[in-house]
Structures are given as C-alpha cells and as structure tokens.
Amino acid sequence: MADKIALTPKTHTAPPAKFSHGVRKGNILQVAGQVGFLPAVEGEPPTPAGPSLREQTLQTLANVQAILEEGGATWDDVMMIRVYLTDVDHFAEMNALYNEYFEQHLTTAPAARTTVYVGLPAGLLIEIDALAVLDH
C-alpha cells in the first residue's frame, strides 16, 4: 500500500491547524481548501493578494496549482473542484474568472465543480479545493 505524503510547497506557510495543504496517496492527490494569500514570506503573517475577488481568485488558483505541482499533478489530472464563496453576488464574476483561467490551463475536459457559500476569515472572499487522480 502506498504511503500518504503531506505536501507543502515553498510558497505556503505551515497550516494554522493539524492538516496538510495537500496529501498524495498512490495516484490520488487531495488539495486542501486554499485562499488567496500571496506567497509566504518567512516571519510574516499571510497576506491576501488584494481586496478584490479577481485578485483573490487568481491567487487562490495559483495556490492550488502550486500544491498540484508539488504532488506531481496538473490541472488536467483534477477530477473535482469545490469553490467556496462568501457572497452570492460574486458568483457571476467568479465564473467569468474561472472560465478565463481554465481556457489557459486545461488541455483536457474540465473537472466537475461545486460552488457553495460559506463564512471565511475577515477579508477573504474565496476558497478552493481540488481532487486529482494521476496516471502514475
């Protein structure tokens, strides 16, 4: 049986609780919910990419991608994406950003997706997680 491997890219700080940013076991890789924090700077607290949904969405997707890459995956390996928004009024804008992003980052069929509305820490507008299945 394959070992379970925790994934924390250099761009990420240590999680604030006992969980991993991503976990790979065999050919399955689960990315934990990521938010729009800029790449980590040692000794400094996490900083959101900006106040806008656009800035946070693009940074959140980049953060998910960093974990996918750390685990040997790409967006083409992703089977399921879950998007968590804090405001129902952000849905249309997020969809437009999402579509624009994946037109540039996919060469295969898009992943399945669910979007739900949640509470996040102050200033954070979006969180995204992903499940990937690799060929190897």
Side-chain angles (χ1 to χ4, degrees):
M1 192 169 213
D3 290 335
K4 183 169 73 171
I5 302 165
L7 305 170
T8 301
K10 292 179 183 171
T11 55
H12 288 57
T13 59
K18 189 125 181 99
F19 67 87
S20 300
H21 285 295
V23 177
R24 180 168 176 180
K25 184 169 184 174
N27 67 335
I28 297 179
L29 191 163
Q30 176 66 56
V31 177
Q34 299 296 301
V35 295
F37 287 142
L38 293 169
V41 176
E42 193 168 330
E44 293 187 22
T47 304
S52 77
L53 181 65
R54 178 178 187 77
E55 293 165 309
Q56 288 192 28
T57 299
L58 295 176
Q59 185 63 54
T60 299
L61 289 164
N63 292 343
V64 172
Q65 183 174 339
I67 296 165
L68 290 170
E69 290 172 356
E70 184 82 6
T74 70
W75 286 112
D76 287 324
D77 298 309
V78 174
M79 301 297 292
M80 181 68 187
I81 296 173
R82 284 170 293 270
V83 177
Y84 308 91
L85 293 172
T86 59
D87 188 335
V88 67
D89 292 334
H90 289 162
F91 186 77
E93 181 183 358
M94 183 278 299
N95 258 352
L97 293 164
Y98 185 95
N99 288 340
E100 177 184 314
Y101 182 88
F102 283 109
E103 285 200 13
Q104 299 172 19
H105 289 85
L106 281 178
T107 60
T108 62
R113 189 187 97 191
T114 298
T115 303
V116 297
Y117 301 96
V118 299
L120 291 173
L124 295 175
L125 305 173
I126 187 168
E127 182 173 355
I128 298 174
D129 70 32
L131 174 67
V133 178
L134 291 77
D135 293 332
H136 53 283

